[in-house]
Amino acid sequence: MKYNNTLEYTDAISRLVHRNLEILQTVKKEERELTEDEDKEMKANEEELDELNKEKEELEKSLETNDEETQEKEDKNKNIDSEKMEKSFSLIKEIRSAIDSGKTINMRTSNYSVAANGEDVVETDILDIMTPLRANLVLTKAGATFMSGLVGDVQVPLMSATNVSWAAEEGAASDGSGSFTNVTLSPKRLTAYVPITLQMLAQDSQDVEAKIREDIIKAVQDKLEATILGYAAGTTTQPAGVFYGATLTEITTYNDLCDFEAGVEENNVYGNMHYILTPKAKAGLRGMIKGTNNTGMVWTAGEVDGIPAEVTTNLVCESSNVNGILYGDFSNLAIGAWDNVQLDVVRDSASLKNGCVTLIINAFFDAKVLRSEAFAMGEYVAPAEG
């Protein structure tokens, strides 16, 4: 049926959404499948929701012809903060819509924000996960080269040491271009699973929206970091861990640490150096004294020997090793991210029994070390007692 204003449409849509969620909650509580009548009712509600959303969109477009002064008064009276509303509705609405339809949410293009009258959502760009992911990765904090928005395979050129020589004043200069090789980044699918309760989906809250987005980003972040900072061999479906095939240097004393750093410098690597280490390795370095003159502790205020350090449990240099240490110029580690991130919503009997739906995130990444000599891999080893 036709309504006179967008508030009436909002109320009608809300009633249908909550009715479907009520049916799902009943099924979950009684631990059974949907009855034929319940299934028909939910499908009928979904069809009516689609129709109401179309009618509401048409009404919103007609309201845009109102003069600017009237529109400003409406916004002021309703105390609408459009940025907050954008975060409160978009992703939750998409997940609700996808529960029964089985549609895939394209997180690059299927986006929403508040309409001009502040009452519902229209197309814009809010579902970007790459920007916060890039900001939160310990690898990018350490200076890794992060390339997003990629399409197809990408070749990253590498140049060997430039040939430089002396020549007579009028002699011909030798070729100083050096030689080039390439490292190829190819998209590899990373899949993460995030359970979301039906009770959360029943909320229209910006805090719930933020929590769902946070869970998605954290799931992708943990898996990506654990793979890159791991020791597994690379395959056609997974990038190699930086510790693959590495021989770990044991670090027990401050002199060991100095030699560890010097090994990288001897390879003519003098970039923006960083450490990445595990919490156990950090704990060991906190108790290590600099030199024999007791000039301070190795770990101080987020730095190892004056060099910035990141700490993560996602670093696993070999099986059962919790004392791993990675040091080097992380600009020599390239991480590629492709834009076609997708979100699938799965509602099955197993999920319903737990009052959940499952979000399946499919994203595409690759990572390669550009110069292996720019890094040193080690492990903290506690000194022998006595």
Side-chain angles (χ1 to χ4, degrees):
M1 64 176 291
K2 295 284 187 179
Y3 291 98
N4 296 321
N5 57 62
T6 55
L7 286 176
E8 292 180 355
Y9 274 105
T10 300
D11 289 340
I13 291 170
S14 178
R15 287 195 298 271
L16 289 172
V17 169
H18 281 82
R19 174 54 185 158
N20 277 3
L21 289 173
E22 182 181 22
I23 293 173
L24 293 176
Q25 289 283 16
T26 301
V27 170
K28 179 254 179 181
K29 183 178 180 180
E30 297 176 359
E31 297 185 352
R32 60 176 174 82
E33 299 290 338
L34 289 168
T35 66
E36 183 178 350
D37 289 341
E38 289 171 336
D39 186 65
K40 287 181 179 179
E41 181 181 355
M42 289 188 68
K43 289 180 178 178
N45 289 345
E46 290 294 338
E47 292 176 359
E48 188 174 352
L49 279 169
D50 289 340
E51 187 63 30
L52 289 175
N53 280 316
K54 290 177 182 178
E55 293 175 3
K56 187 178 180 184
E57 183 177 359
E58 291 174 358
L59 178 59
E60 288 170 343
K61 289 180 179 178
S62 68
L63 291 175
E64 291 177 1
T65 59
N66 292 343
D67 62 85
E68 183 177 353
E69 181 178 352
T70 300
Q71 186 61 62
E72 289 177 353
K73 288 180 179 179
E74 288 181 0
D75 288 347
K76 182 177 181 180
N77 290 337
K78 293 173 184 177
N79 193 25
I80 297 299
D81 184 334
S82 62
E83 291 183 359
K84 291 182 180 179
M85 290 291 289
E86 173 183 280
K87 294 180 180 178
S88 299
F89 283 90
S90 59
L91 186 53
I92 290 178
K93 178 179 177 180
E94 282 291 281
I95 294 172
R96 288 172 181 166
S97 175
I99 286 177
D100 286 313
S101 65
K103 66 184 271 191
T104 293
I105 303 172
N106 188 314
M107 301 191 72
R108 181 171 56 90
T109 59
S110 180
N111 308 314
Y112 294 85
S113 70
V114 177
N117 61 8
E119 294 166 355
D120 200 11
V121 290
V122 294
E123 194 167 347
T124 187
D125 181 18
I126 66 168
L127 291 180
D128 169 37
I129 71 167
M130 289 303 174
T131 299
L133 176 66
R134 180 175 186 164
N136 291 322
L137 282 172
V138 297
L139 292 157
T140 51
K141 290 178 182 178
T145 302
F146 191 99
M147 297 175 287
S148 60
L150 303 182
V151 177
D153 290 356
V154 176
Q155 288 189 334
V156 182
L158 301 176
M159 189 179 73
S160 66
T162 302
N163 299 319
V164 179
S165 61
W166 297 96
E169 183 176 353
E170 297 179 356
S174 60
D175 181 8
S177 62
S179 60
F180 286 87
T181 57
N182 294 287
V183 169
T184 301
L185 298 177
S186 302
K188 297 173 176 60
R189 186 167 68 97
L190 182 153
T191 299
Y193 299 83
V194 178
I196 301 296
T197 65
L198 296 174
Q199 187 62 35
M200 287 186 71
L201 291 179
Q203 313 302 315
D204 284 331
S205 163
Q206 65 177 8
D207 292 332
V208 172
E209 171 86 9
K211 181 63 170 64
I212 293 174
R213 289 165 58 88
E214 179 184 338
D215 287 348
I216 290 172
I217 294 167
K218 189 67 167 67
V220 174
Q221 174 188 330
D222 284 347
K223 184 61 177 177
L224 184 60
E225 282 184 358
T227 301
I228 298 174
L229 293 174
Y231 60 93
T235 67
T236 56
T237 60
Q238 174 180 312
V242 295
F243 285 94
Y244 173 66
T247 300
L248 302 181
T249 300
E250 293 188 357
I251 300 173
T252 301
T253 67
Y254 181 63
N255 285 339
D256 293 338
L257 188 72
C258 292
D259 290 340
F260 184 67
E261 296 171 359
V264 176
E265 295 174 357
E266 288 172 354
N267 294 323
N268 296 316
V269 178
Y270 299 102
N272 187 17
M273 312 303 284
H274 273 77
Y275 274 96
I276 297 180
L277 58 158
T278 66
K280 285 288 188 180
K282 170 190 170 181
L285 296 181
R286 287 182 66 184
M288 182 183 291
I289 299 173
K290 288 186 178 182
T292 57
N293 295 323
N294 297 334
T295 56
M297 311 307 289
V298 168
W299 172 277
T300 305
E303 294 182 338
V304 173
D305 196 23
I307 297 170
E310 304 293 337
V311 180
T312 176
T313 57
N314 290 326
L315 189 154
V316 182
C317 55
E318 61 182 17
S319 178
S320 302
N321 192 311
V322 294
N323 297 319
I325 298 174
L326 179 62
Y327 169 76
D329 176 8
F330 283 83
S331 66
N332 289 284
L333 172 64
I335 303 173
W338 282 258
D339 256 359
N340 49 335
V341 180
Q342 295 181 333
L343 185 67
D344 291 310
V345 183
V346 177
R347 190 198 74 184
D348 54 27
S349 58
S351 296
L352 286 176
K353 287 182 180 180
N354 294 316
C356 295
V357 295
T358 301
L359 307 184
I360 303 177
I361 304 98
N362 293 298
F364 295 83
F365 298 93
D366 198 8
K368 294 282 179 66
V369 172
L370 304 181
R371 291 179 62 200
S372 59
E373 64 270 23
F375 296 95
M377 292 80 170
E379 60 176 333
Y380 172 77
V381 177
E385 296 182 1

